[in-house]
Amino acid sequence: MAGQREFYWRRLHSLLGVVPIGIFLVQHLVINHFAVYGEESFNKAAGFMGSLPFVILLEIFIIYLPILYHAILGVYIAFTAKNNVSKYSFFRNWMFKLQRWTGLITLVFIAWHVWETRVQIGLGNAEADYSLMEGILSSPFMFWFYLIGVVAAVFHFANGLWSFFVTWGITQSPKSQRVMTYVAIIVFFAVSYLGVRTLIQFAYGV
């Protein structure tokens, strides 16, 4: 029974990593990318998201609680899981190792990002607008912290897509898993571009 419960917990962990967390990550980076088109474009896009009906409930049940569950079980997996050299290739085992490392980096990054852009501004009655992110990323240290955090989060999502398709039995053959590897690589570079390009805009105005 304990093994069966863990099986379902891990299935839920895998599902939440894609829906809704992965979808939110992509959507969040797309909205942030409006900064490239100017301060007004970003503020309008961010303001639209902030004005959605029941936004607090949406954030709690679609963002924060799924991330909390995914993070808690993810930390457990990161410190207990072992590489499987008999079943998977050298490359896949390295991807598994990087998945654990980037998960831990992403957890630290998200915790700080939420504190800096949600909790602190709420306490100070400030606004999460273009000038806020511009101020944060004007520090070289914070720029590199955000760069590493964003790239780690995108890698964790893109590589997690591969695991999701295998875990849920969608890609079972070696050929389909190879195709999914290429898809994950494309997703990683495409979504990373959105995030990194936005950070450069906030930090350097270019």
Side-chain angles (χ1 to χ4, degrees), residues 15-26 62-63 66-67 70 157:
L15 178 63
L16 291 177
V18 176
V19 183
I21 299 171
I23 293 174
F24 169 73
L25 171 67
V26 175
I62 297 189
I63 302 172
I67 287 177
H70 190 82
F157 165 62

Side-chain angles (χ1 to χ4, degrees), residues 38 71 75 77 103 126 134 138 189 199:
V75 169
I77 293 172
E134 188 179 38
S138 62
F189 281 109
L199 293 176

